[in-house]
Every structure is written in C-alpha cells, then in structure tokens.
Amino acid sequence: MKANILLNVAVVSQKNGRRHGLVKSLVVVNHVVQYLVISTGGLFSKAQIFKPENIIDVNYKRLIIASEKDIIKIEGKKVKTYLEEAFPLMDYPVVDKNGEAFGHIVNATIEDGSFIISEYEISRSFFDDIDHGFAIIPAAELDYRDQVLHYQKEMFDLRFEKQGTGIANKLLGAK
C-alpha cells in the first residue's frame, strides 16, 4: 500500500465507533512504520500514537482500530523516548553521498502486514517532477543519520526506469 493512504484519515474505534482524530504523521524507524500519530486538534491535549499492527481496516476516509485502548497517550516530555531514532515520513529531506540536499520524501510503498517500507518516492524539484515524475529509491539505498536520509549514491545516479512519467508526458505526450 502507499503511505499516503494512511494520512489525513479519521481514526475510529471499532468497539464503540468513537472518532479520535486524524492521522497526521507516520513515524519510521529503520524503514519500518512504528507509529501513526493522531492529531486531536486540542491545544493542550496529549500526543496520541498507535502501532500499525492495531489497524483493522483502512480506506481514504477512515482508519479502524479495535479499541481506544490501542492508543498510547503521552506527555510532550516523553514523546522523545518513544520516537528516538525515528523520523516523520512525509517531506523528510534526502541528501546524496556528498551531503548535497536534492529532494524530499513525498510517498512510500509499505508492505501489508509487516509495515516495512520497500521504496521511497522522492521529489527532486517542481520542474523535474513535471518532466520525469518522482524518483523511486529502494529503502536499502537510504540510511537515516543525523536526522536526514542519506542516499548512498550521487544525486544524479537516480534511476528513472521504475517511476511513472512526469505530468508533461502524461498530459501532453511530450518526450
């Protein structure tokens, strides 16, 4: 499944039908989705997270978990202990082996059941996205260090054979 399916959907308990808020972020550690973060909308509310294993069903409108007991409510001070060595998935910066920033994550492919990320979709620039579409990088070629994803090659070594064509190609038939 694509990661964007899990974002901005209402979290609902199957047991009582209670709506808990919207999923605002996916927390990733070692290319595995560890937690989904719920935005409750309250100014003084505690952070609410839950593990992806608790998902019973998901579509573009709602995500169903078994019970509200699956939600972990944590104070702001303790968030860091839960999310050590983790990064939020979307819009995260990517640098090449020389430390040059060249893009950010716009989506990822997540394996059903294990929640392992097999590949990331990287936006390099607006014009590059129009011409070629997003670059697709296997998760094995990215390392998380110093709060940045590091691509093990140079930014110009991106392969375009797996990605969809850009907007110009799709709409205008330009090559």
Side-chain angles (χ1 to χ4, degrees), residues 23-61:
V23 175
K24 74 172 186 177
S25 181
L26 305 176
V27 177
V28 177
V29 177
N30 294 325
H31 307 299
V32 179
V33 177
Q34 294 292 322
Y35 297 104
L36 287 85
V37 180
I38 300 173
S39 172
T40 57
L43 183 61
F44 297 106
S45 61
K46 292 182 178 181
Q48 295 186 23
I49 61 176
F50 64 96
K51 294 186 177 223
E53 300 88 46
N54 297 322
I55 297 172
I56 294 174
D57 186 37
V58 65
N59 61 33
Y60 284 100
K61 293 183 180 179

Side-chain angles (χ1 to χ4, degrees), residues 116-149:
I116 294 172
I117 296 175
S118 58
E119 59 189 17
Y120 293 92
E121 293 179 23
I122 310 295
S123 171
R124 295 184 343 157
S125 72
F126 174 76
F127 294 109
D128 194 52
D129 296 344
I130 288 176
D131 290 342
H132 301 289
F134 301 127
I136 296 176
I137 300 177
E141 296 180 10
L142 291 164
D143 295 321
Y144 174 74
R145 285 180 275 130
D146 306 322
Q147 299 182 338
V148 176
L149 276 175

Side-chain angles (χ1 to χ4, degrees), residues 75-114:
E75 296 175 15
K77 298 173 190 172
K78 296 182 182 178
V79 170
K80 194 170 189 172
T81 59
Y82 274 90
L83 308 181
E84 189 94 20
E85 293 300 314
F87 65 92
L89 186 62
M90 300 305 190
D91 292 326
Y92 208 75
V94 181
V95 300
D96 71 359
K97 71 179 188 177
N98 301 318
E100 296 290 326
F102 71 91
H104 61 276
I105 297 173
V106 292
N107 210 348
T109 303
I110 301 171
E111 295 178 13
D112 291 333
S114 66

